[in-house]
Amino acid sequence: MQLGMTRLQQVVTTATGPRRQLELGNDITVVDADSIAATQPIRSVSDLLATRVPGLVAQTTSGAPGDPTRIRLRGLHSVLQSNDPIVIVDGIRVYAEQSAARSGNLAVPPSSSGYIGGAPAPSPLDQIDPNSIATIEVLKGPSAATLYGSDAANGVIVITTKKGRAGPARWSAHLDYGRTTMPGKYPDGYFRWGHLMGSYSLQFCAITDQACVVDSLVRFQLLNDPQYTVLGTGDRTAATVGVSGGSENLTYSVTGSGSDEVGLLTLPQSEVARYVANQGTAPASWMRRPHHYRTWGATTTLSARLSPKADVAITASLNRGTQQRSTLENELGSLMRIYVDSVNGRYYRSNPQGGFEFLTSVFGDFYRRITAVATTFTNGASLNWRPRSWLTGTADVGINYINRDDQMALPSGLAFFATGIDSMGEASVGKGSTLMRTVNARLVATAPLPAGFKLQTAAGANYTGTSIADVFYSGRGLRPGTTSLNGATLVQAPTETRSDLATFGWYVEPTISHKRLWISTGLRLDGGSTFGSHASLPLFPKVSVSYLISDEPFFPFKNLFNTLRLRAAYGHAGVQPGVTDRLRLYQQGAVWADSQLVDGTIIRTIGNTNLKPERSRELEGGFDADLLGDRLSVQLTGYRNTRLDALVSVPLPPSVDGGLVGSVLRNVGVIRNTGWELTLMVEPLRGDAFGWGANLLVSENHNKVVSLAPGVLPFGQPDARVVAGYPLYGRWARPILGYQDLNGDHKITADEVQIGDSLVFMGESEPNYEATLSTHFTFLHNTLRVDADFHYENGLTQYNQTALNNRVFARAANDSTAPFSQQAAIAVMGQTTYGLMQTVNTLRVNALNVSYSLPRRIAQRLGADAMSLSLQGTNLGLFTNYRGKDPNVNAYGSGNSVADTGVLPVPRTWQIRVSASY
């Protein structure tokens, strides 16, 4: 915990170089990686950020090991462009796109294998080794990110890796072992069994079926049954070793780590036995335990003093992640709908149409193996030059390269037990590469001014180039025993995607200061290869003020406040258009000419030579206060962020393009986010025998599409719609206006429900409110420590597609004692999604840690200077009004859509950590 002037004097990284946080007019959240890893299981950079940055929303794709987490800062900003923040590592821009289609598995197109939006793949952000990180600084909007230029409008995540210090070699090591389980149980299904009058044949009786005589109402959930469930126990082993040291002229830091995690998804023994009986051999290990994620990485930093006036730092990192999964996870939604008649040995599966089908097996397809391999290399160098006491120059240069090799394979010769048809074998391969190049240069000069004022001026330029190349190819008819395309009877022509884009800019930032006052202005001029040829280069201005009013002689509350700082900031930033959005593109196709179809060239996109980047402007203000002898610290920030020139697809008349394209991109939308963020830190007890402290983070955000272009009608699906005057990607549905049990049978049928004709707004697809409470207790001179974290969300309106698929066995469809409101929603679920959308609140017991530091004499006997043991747990409890399993899971690995389709929720984790330093 950092209280008082220690926090305000902290040096943070800005686009113009290191600055004291006290001097900045905008709020920057600093995350200390080591202190968090000491109290919670941390697998990725996303784990470090989630729940620790006010204004940051983290949406989990699924509970599969390695699956990505979507990050949004201060709400959604763009209709069509990326809403992802950019990421800087030691001054070098790295590729961290989370929302693009290529962020998913390159070998699994969105329509393949039942995956919604394609199969997920690990995020490039999480390819960065969290164990190599010293701090993460989060700049949340344009007021702080102006000088980072184009694409910085969604915020900036600045990562600083660990650096060495002069002295003997210092070693540290951590060893983790953990177990994962599924928290809680899945909701039971209601199965209403009976027979027709005059018949004794067993059948499912719908609540509205008057001809069916009900014999029993059974509650059952296959995923909770130990004999059939696919939810077992996972495990994870991880190790980290680091060393740092050096001399006055050369310091070094090296961190290496690796992890091996097996997910909790498992093929039940009953299905293993059936597979052996049908195939004559045991299923492969990847079929039995499909979720497997392995990582390893190494990061090295060297800092050399070239002369008293110059030094250089070189950073190199190599990381590799291998994720494995299978289509067994796609069976979760189907398994929820199955009833097992253990007496007669039969399986019944409901269908959305209201009936049941008989199955010979519980499972369908678990034979496709999907892998994602990513190798990331980042290398950067930074030169600092101080030719004069008043002049400093800095240059950064670096590359970030990601190589991807994704594959999906269905071996030949596997009998699909549901159909009895052998597979011929299929395979697909997606290969991709990403290369980002960064060049930065800046000069910072200081000069005294009259009356005790000081002028500091920073000027610089930077260039970022990005090259992306992806290729996809697939085939069928594989050779038995192989999953290679070599020898396949049919190989489809490959498809290739390439793009090259660049941004460049110049900036200047003068800052005038006087003891307790800092006034900073700035201006950036940006250019980009994706701007239209007729678009002028955008100017991004900024201004900020920081005032330490508590140091003024006239300040009247010195007995209460140790420090009180007032601050305000205003700035612009942008997000550039897509690579080909400005271009008019053509393709080969059939053309109607001379009363017949002939091969020809047709237009694919109109293009727009006037395209310019989407532009965000933000005003934020607030204060930082330390009170009661630095035992209480308060940070409060309010902001108003407006996205101008938002790109929107505008319809075209058929006379323009013959109806072939239908729309063109234009900068015509306005989107606004407003909110506030509070950080409260308290440490009332600091005794040797006992200590206690707590942090509270609270944030509120409200989103609104202020306007769209004239003639642009609301668009999107009801579960994610864009309408002027309402939140971006808001939820919409035809409302249930009323219902009445007209015939008095205590059952609501579709003809007894009145539905509105027009869509109505149901809620936002992002939470409005978030709060995190972290508290710690220390005992016995800080040798025993207990930490607990709680996280609260409210305002997210979740679309429960699982309820739609499983509505046949919902309580309201089978139990006449269910509330009429629930019966009405089920009765008309095929006509409106009104009953599928629910505004939810969640309170999660996010983490618990108990750590013990061994006495120094015992640690030394074991060969270490210090040792500690920790028991750490995450996702330990969930309290929510949600009617499904977990509202904070998301079926879509990319884009902005959010839906609960029954994907695997985040598991519960308990791990033991052993730490030692030498």
Side-chain angles (χ1 to χ4, degrees), residues 600-664:
T601 301
I602 59 177
I603 191 169
R604 192 175 76 183
T605 62
I606 290 291
N608 185 350
T609 58
N610 292 313
L611 282 185
K612 50 189 175 180
E614 295 186 340
R615 186 186 189 97
S616 282
R617 64 187 184 195
E618 183 180 61
L619 174 64
E620 77 164 53
F623 68 86
D624 305 299
D626 301 303
L627 306 91
L628 306 177
D630 284 345
R631 294 180 182 270
L632 174 64
S633 177
V634 182
Q635 294 173 260
L636 180 65
T637 302
Y639 63 88
R640 180 185 178 92
N641 187 318
T642 303
R643 175 66 59 90
L644 307 171
D645 296 325
L647 287 166
V648 175
S649 293
V650 178
L652 288 171
S655 59
V656 174
D657 64 336
L660 296 174
V661 178
S663 63
V664 64

Side-chain angles (χ1 to χ4, degrees), residues 24 75 147 168 209 218 246 294 440 478 567 636 659 718 742 906:
L24 305 175
L147 299 187
D209 190 347
V218 181
R294 298 183 300 275
N440 301 320
L478 307 184
R567 50 182 169 79
L636 180 65
L742 298 175
V906 177

Side-chain angles (χ1 to χ4, degrees), residues 416-435:
F416 287 96
F417 302 153
T419 63
I421 301 175
D422 286 344
S423 67
M424 296 177 59
E426 301 176 13
S428 60
V429 177
K431 292 184 178 292
S433 65
T434 308
L435 176 64

